[in-house]
Amino acid sequence: MTLTTLAVLVPLAAALVVSALPRSEPGLVRALGLLGTLVELVLIVTLVIGWDPEGASVQARALAPWLPSLGVAWSLGLDGTLLAPLLAIGLVFPLASMIGPGPRPGEPPLVVGMLVLESAWVTVLLARDLVLLATAWEIAIVAMVVLLGERGDGKMGVPGRTAAARRYAAHVLPGAAALIAALVLLGVAHSHASGGAWSWDIDEVGQVVMPGNWQRLGFGLLMITLATSLPLVPAQGWLGPVGASGPTPVVALLTGVGMPMAVILAQRVGLPLFPLAAGEWADPLAAIALVGA
């Protein structure tokens, strides 16, 4: 088992252990959750230290067939351009676990959700298969919505938090659907170019030259996903309620990692797979980045 696979699975394993703990032991739950994030940090640091600048552009690969008939595979690899974001995830999660209120009864849902979210975001960075990447992105969106509405004391339905979570969900779910549509477009384009063979490998799909209209459509869909994940004017109305009502550790994760992940998605999918449209939209994207900053 490669380090990349371990980096994806360790937070999930920690989440399973934490979910089996009783709600009456919040201190133990918080401690084991923190331990899981620290183990993940060690794995990530090992991956970063082991990166060979003179080696291949993608290292520590893991490849296993997942749905062979559809060309879907468990495909992971570390791209050298993503070392810093990966290290940021490894650092932010244990820090977020240590801030906010102390452990309270009903702690497992909050800690389990954070561990699942960490695994999903690490997968988004390491995935070399578009279906795997999109699946991880959707899991991260669902986990974030649930976490924003989680009180951390075993109860749901706190009015302010629930309203903020629903508003955030209404904002990001259209973007999640747009991402799926963009990836379906990429898969269909590859199938047409290869005579009916399906593949979702990022490198293989990137070799397909799509017509300009297809690129503009796909890139536009991806920009919807990006716009719904960043606090861009005038669609930033969800950020205030979330920041005021959401659990402190979750708000820290959303602002510290979740928003940059949207830019990482553009870097991983938009720029290499829709190069013509990305070039045409360079100036508007620069303006969007300025407004976002």
Side-chain angles (χ1 to χ4, degrees), residues 83-106:
L83 294 177
L86 185 63
L87 187 59
I89 288 178
L91 289 170
V92 169
F93 271 84
L95 291 174
S97 300
M98 293 185 287
I99 65 175
R104 295 176 295 177

Side-chain angles (χ1 to χ4, degrees), residues 20 29 63 70 73 104 112 133 154 164 173 187 266:
V29 168
L63 179 62
L70 298 177
R104 295 176 295 177
V112 169
L133 186 153
L173 290 180

Side-chain angles (χ1 to χ4, degrees), residues 89-223:
I89 288 178
L91 289 170
V92 169
F93 271 84
L95 291 174
S97 300
M98 293 185 287
I99 65 175
R104 295 176 295 177
E107 191 82 3
L110 182 65
V111 176
V112 169
M114 290 174 64
L115 290 167
V116 170
L117 181 64
E118 182 174 25
S119 175
W121 276 341
V122 167
T123 304
V124 169
L125 291 183
L126 297 179
R128 305 301 303 173
D129 181 277
L130 288 171
V131 172
L132 180 59
L133 186 153
T135 300
W137 182 268
E138 306 301 325
I139 291 174
I141 290 294
V142 173
M144 182 60 72
V145 171
V146 172
L147 284 170
L148 287 172
E150 173 58 43
R151 191 176 171 189
D153 60 1
K155 299 178 181 178
M156 299 286 287
V158 177
R161 221 165 258 182
T162 301
R166 288 176 177 172
R167 190 170 186 178
Y168 179 73
H171 187 74
V172 297
L173 290 180
L179 175 62
I180 294 175
L183 296 190
V184 168
L185 181 66
L186 287 167
V188 170
H190 179 275
S191 178
H192 285 177
S194 60
W198 288 92
S199 175
W200 303 92
D201 182 85
I202 290 178
D203 297 322
E204 291 186 19
V205 174
Q207 296 175 1
V208 175
V209 180
M210 289 192 297
N213 289 339
W214 282 37
Q215 289 203 36
R216 295 182 185 94
L217 174 60
F219 194 77
L221 290 169
L222 195 66
M223 287 303 101

